[in-house]
């Protein structure tokens, strides 16, 4: 159905070209176009066409033809020899064909090529506020700085073109030019253990993401409120910031992409902004949630300008600030220390969510959830003992689980016993430099005896 619909649009384009070249002005572009009500909304292209005016649809199919049906434009290449108002570029190389420009679109859209009024009216379709340009569907490429604006080549945004051709979103592989990766979780909202204040703030974010489109439908609100939602997660490592971000995506049906700051920041001037633009442009097309982990690496405070390096670093922060502010989706920035972030960013966050280190009660809940009934273990352990004596985060406790399971398979037939659990805990505490050989290790083995 998708290809049939595109074929109908191409036939309509061909008819418009023929009538224009033959100077058949008895009918305008409406004469052969399929009616808007006849569009079957079952594909990306048909969805795109359904929200465009007939003139915009003509521009779109004109730009698309050079990629999928270049023969449809050969008549324009031939006619250009006699009528320079057709515009376009004629290529005579390995690809012998015709590349349409704004002039080409104006030629097809105006009944009288000498009518300045008609030409200026049609030119509005290429204004920055027009649908095709504002939504980054059509891109305009000037060949030289001295050529007029109307000589700009019509191209289709590569991400839009990919969706038209394959009817599915384009997601590039993670690389230095696309420093983002999709993150998911098998856990559920009930698996997350945070204090009530933090949970309430996360629920507010969930409500916004779920109701964002309904809010945009109220013009009085949409005019006053900045697009998108920006939130800061801060607190020690392992307290659930990444899990919360992935769960928000899971519960709202949105994909979450974590920005790899090691690949994002480049030593070459302008490359960081270029990488950022790549991520934000694709994210806007797909309605992703963007998650900046260790955000102070790029959202950090701007410094005093004492060298060219300082100026470029400040430019990167300023550019990021602008893109985050314009992003229509959800941006989550995570950091260990809120004070490390630039105040200009802090002012623009709708919510700032604190993920504190878990207290004794929270630690007990974490131990019980991590070592739940589905985990093979010999008997019930005294988790209140662990919670009271060892200040660990959820991530630390999961590390203990992983090590205890391995030891259980090696030593106890796949079941976690007291020796395996205590040794796994000992190793985690040692890794964190929290193991005092004279006291805390003694407590661990006292627990082994008391259980």
């Amino acid at each position: 159905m998708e290809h049939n619909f595109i074929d109908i649009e191409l036939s309509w384009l061909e008819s418009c070209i023929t009538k224009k070249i033959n100077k058949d002005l008895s009918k305008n572009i409406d004469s052969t176009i399929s009616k808007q009500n006849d569009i079957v909304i079952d594909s990306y292209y048909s969805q795109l066409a359904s929200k465009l005016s007939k003139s915009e649809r003509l521009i779109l199919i004109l730009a698309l033809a050079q990629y999928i049906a270049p023969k449809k434009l050969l008549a324009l290449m031939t006619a250009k020899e006699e009528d320079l108002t057709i515009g376009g570029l004629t290529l005579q190389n390995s690809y012998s064909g015709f590349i349409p420009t704004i002039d080409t679109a104006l030629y097809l859209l105006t009944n009288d090529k000498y009518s300045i009024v008609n030409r200026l009216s049609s030119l509005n379709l290429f204004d920055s506020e027009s649908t095709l340009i504002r939504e980054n569907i059509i891109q305009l490429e000037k060949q030289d700085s001295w050529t007029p604006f109307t000589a700009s080549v019509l191209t289709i945004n590569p991400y839009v073109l990919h969706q038209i051709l394959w009817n599915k979103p384009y997601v590039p592989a993670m690389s230095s030019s696309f420093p983002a990766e999709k993150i998911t979780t098998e856990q559920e909202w009930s698996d997350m253990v945070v204090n009530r204040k933090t949970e309430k703030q996360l629920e507010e974010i969930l409500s916004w993401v779920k109701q964002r489109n309904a809010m945009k439908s109220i013009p009085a609100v949409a005019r006053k409120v900045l697009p998108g939602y920006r939130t800061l997660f801060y607190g020690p490592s392992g307290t659930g910031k990444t899990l919360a971000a992935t769960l928000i995506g899971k519960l709202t049906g949105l994909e979450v992409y974590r920005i790899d700051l090691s690949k994002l920041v480049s030593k070459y001037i302008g490359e960081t902004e270029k990488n950022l633009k790549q991520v934000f442009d694709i994210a806007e097309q797909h309605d992703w949630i963007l998650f900046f982990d260790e955000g102070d690496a790029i959202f950090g405070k701007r410094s005093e300008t004492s060298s060219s390096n300082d100026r470029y670093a400040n430019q990167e922060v300023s550019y990021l600030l602008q893109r985050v502010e314009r992003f229509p989706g959800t941006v989550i920035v995570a950091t260990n220390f809120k004070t490390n972030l630039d105040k200009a960013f802090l002012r623009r966050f709708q919510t700032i969510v604190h993920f504190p280190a878990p207290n004794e009660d929270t630690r007990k809940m974490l131990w019980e959830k991590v070592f739940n009934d589905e985990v093979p273990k010999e008997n019930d352990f005294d988790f209140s003992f662990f919670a009271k004596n060892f200040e660990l985060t959820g991530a630390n406790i999961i590390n203990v689980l992983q090590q205890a399971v391995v030891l259980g398979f090696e030593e106890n037939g796949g079941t976690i016993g007291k020796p395996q659990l205590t040794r796994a805990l000992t190793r985690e505490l040692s890794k964190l430099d929290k193991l005092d050989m004279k006291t805390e290790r003694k407590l661990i083995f006292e627990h082994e005896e008391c259980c």
Side-chain angles (χ1 to χ4, degrees), residues 258-270:
R258 175 168 52 197
I259 311 303
D260 187 333
L261 295 171
S262 66
K263 289 184 171 62
L264 173 65
V265 180
S266 173
K267 64 181 179 180
Y268 298 106
I269 297 170

Side-chain angles (χ1 to χ4, degrees), residues 170-445:
Y170 169 67
V171 180
M174 186 174 181
S175 65
S176 59
S177 61
F178 184 74
E181 63 176 344
K182 183 179 177 180
I183 55 174
T184 60
T185 181
E186 295 297 323
Q187 298 193 64
E188 303 296 336
W189 193 263
S190 58
D191 295 321
M192 183 173 58
V193 179
V194 292
N195 63 45
R196 181 55 192 153
K197 180 180 178 181
T198 301
E199 184 179 13
K200 185 174 179 60
Q201 288 180 302
L202 293 174
E203 289 171 351
E204 291 173 359
I205 298 171
L206 268 177
S207 297
W208 182 89
V209 177
K210 290 177 179 177
Q211 304 301 329
R212 67 195 190 286
N213 291 329
M215 185 178 68
K216 292 176 186 176
S217 66
I218 305 174
V221 176
R223 286 195 302 267
K224 298 174 184 176
V225 178
L226 287 173
Y229 195 90
R230 293 154 292 279
T231 185
L232 172 68
F233 293 173
Y234 77 97
S237 298
T239 50
K241 299 186 291 294
T242 301
L243 176 61
T246 53
L247 286 173
I248 289 172
K250 186 173 184 177
L251 267 64
T252 57
L254 300 178
E255 294 181 339
V256 181
Y257 271 75
R258 175 168 52 197
I259 311 303
D260 187 333
L261 295 171
S262 66
K263 289 184 171 62
L264 173 65
V265 180
S266 173
K267 64 181 179 180
Y268 298 106
I269 297 170
E271 283 299 307
T272 299
E273 292 92 329
K274 183 179 177 181
N275 295 344
L276 278 168
K277 183 179 186 303
Q278 168 94 325
V279 172
F280 276 102
D281 286 349
I282 297 179
E284 288 175 7
Q285 293 286 335
H286 296 76
D287 196 18
W288 289 341
I289 293 175
L290 291 181
F291 179 62
F292 290 84
D293 201 4
E294 299 181 8
D296 42 337
I298 185 68
F299 291 83
K301 294 179 179 179
R302 281 171 282 194
S303 59
E304 294 294 329
T305 304
S306 58
S307 68
S308 59
N309 289 337
D310 292 335
R311 285 196 298 274
Y312 291 127
N314 290 345
Q315 286 175 14
E316 291 171 358
V317 175
S318 299
Y319 177 80
L320 182 57
L321 178 61
Q322 294 170 14
R323 287 308 302 254
V324 166
E325 195 168 56
R326 298 202 319 264
F327 184 63
T330 304
V331 173
I332 301 174
V333 178
T335 181
N336 291 348
F337 304 101
K338 181 177 70 171
T339 53
N340 288 350
L341 268 67
D342 193 288
K343 290 183 179 179
F345 283 109
L346 292 176
R347 288 196 300 269
R348 286 165 171 80
F349 288 121
Q350 275 94 336
T351 54
I352 297 179
V353 185
H354 185 207
F355 287 75
N359 58 23
E360 182 178 336
D361 291 338
T362 305
R363 291 196 295 270
K364 185 172 185 295
M365 291 176 61
L366 284 166
W367 278 104
E368 291 172 347
K369 280 187 177 291
V370 172
F371 286 85
N372 57 36
D373 293 338
E374 297 178 0
V375 175
K377 53 186 184 294
E378 285 186 345
N379 56 345
D380 292 334
F381 294 104
D382 183 8
F383 291 118
S384 59
F385 174 88
F386 291 133
K388 179 179 180 179
N389 289 281
F390 308 109
E391 296 182 358
L392 299 177
T393 66
N396 298 142
I397 295 170
I398 290 174
N399 288 342
V400 173
L401 170 66
Q402 182 178 8
Q403 185 61 42
V405 169
V406 172
L407 292 172
F409 276 108
E410 288 184 346
E411 304 172 355
N412 203 34
T415 302
I416 300 173
K418 288 180 289 185
Q420 290 78 42
L421 179 59
T422 52
R423 270 207 305 283
L425 177 57
T426 301
R427 293 180 185 182
E428 185 67 15
L429 291 169
S430 178
K431 183 186 73 176
L432 299 171
D433 291 328
K434 290 186 176 182
L435 186 63
D436 185 295
M437 298 299 293
K438 292 182 179 180
T439 56
E440 298 205 36
R441 184 161 187 154
K442 181 175 181 293
L443 288 174
I444 293 174
F445 285 103

Side-chain angles (χ1 to χ4, degrees), residues 100-124:
T101 61
I102 293 177
D103 278 321
T104 312
L106 297 177
Y107 170 80
L108 295 176
L109 290 168
T110 55
N111 289 335
D112 183 353
K113 66 182 179 182
Y114 299 110
S115 172
I116 298 300
V117 174
N118 288 346
R119 185 176 173 86
L120 290 177
S121 177
S122 297
L123 198 57
N124 289 331

